[in-house]
Amino acid sequence: MTIGPDHDGADVALRIERRWAILAFVIVLLLTVLAAAAGIHGAVMPQGQVEIVDPRLLHIRGEFVESNLGTALEPDGSVTVRAIGQQYSFTPQCILVPAETKISFRGTSADVVHGFLIAGTNLNEMLVPGYVSSFTARFDAPGEHVMPCHEFCGTGHEGMWARVKVVDKQSFLDQAKDGGRLSCVGQ
């Protein structure tokens, strides 16, 4: 663009700056509208899969009765862990799982929100009263992991932890052959 006698350089610069300012404003406005629309959509649309339980009846009936907690080798060969968080402990206190196997974790809370964090891994879930939290995991090698509650749940929160013991697959299968729920308490 050439600046002739009828054009002032300051006017040209001002027009260019206004155009860029308007473009920046339109981009910010568009992003704000998109974020608001996504937030509203997420707030009014239900989650794809929500499982609910009655926290008052966890120990009496249903999937989370005490005899059903811990690790189980299912008839199809899969491994399922069921656990409950409650002030100020996890049940079971020690979870036994096999290495090199897909494991389905299912948990809930009997009272307040608790955190389900397996240290040394990227496994992190919230246990919310009335809802079943589930995720799958795989441990590559045997070892032990601490499992602290990472959501403040009251004055005894700092003492709320459990552990996850990963054993080799054959050792796990040997222990699971008798059926029933497995735990590493006492090991």
Side-chain angles (χ1 to χ4, degrees), residues 31-161:
L31 291 175
T32 303
V33 168
L34 289 174
I40 291 169
H41 176 74
V44 298
M45 300 302 283
Q47 294 176 342
Q49 179 180 347
V50 176
E51 292 182 69
I52 58 173
V53 293
D54 187 346
R56 298 169 297 159
L57 303 175
L58 288 179
H59 300 290
I60 299 171
R61 66 172 185 235
E63 177 182 4
F64 293 97
V65 294
E66 194 163 340
S67 62
N68 204 30
L69 298 177
T71 308
L73 180 61
E74 303 295 344
D76 65 357
S78 65
V79 175
T80 304
V81 173
R82 290 180 180 84
I84 293 177
Q86 57 197 0
Q87 291 177 316
Y88 299 99
S89 67
F90 288 104
T91 304
Q93 278 289 291
C94 187
I95 298 170
L96 184 70
V97 294
E100 302 173 359
T101 305
K102 182 179 171 186
I103 303 160
S104 174
F105 285 87
R106 296 179 55 77
T108 189
S109 170
D111 44 31
V112 298
V113 175
H114 296 285
F116 191 97
L117 170 74
I118 301 177
T121 70
N122 64 348
L123 304 175
N124 182 352
E125 189 75 25
M126 289 177 65
L127 302 180
V128 181
Y131 296 93
V132 176
S133 298
S134 61
F135 62 93
T136 58
R138 180 183 175 93
F139 297 92
D140 293 328
E144 279 201 39
H145 303 274
V146 294
M147 192 177 82
C149 175
H150 64 82
E151 293 288 335
F152 182 73
C153 55
T155 56
H157 165 73
E158 70 281 352
M160 184 174 173
W161 64 276

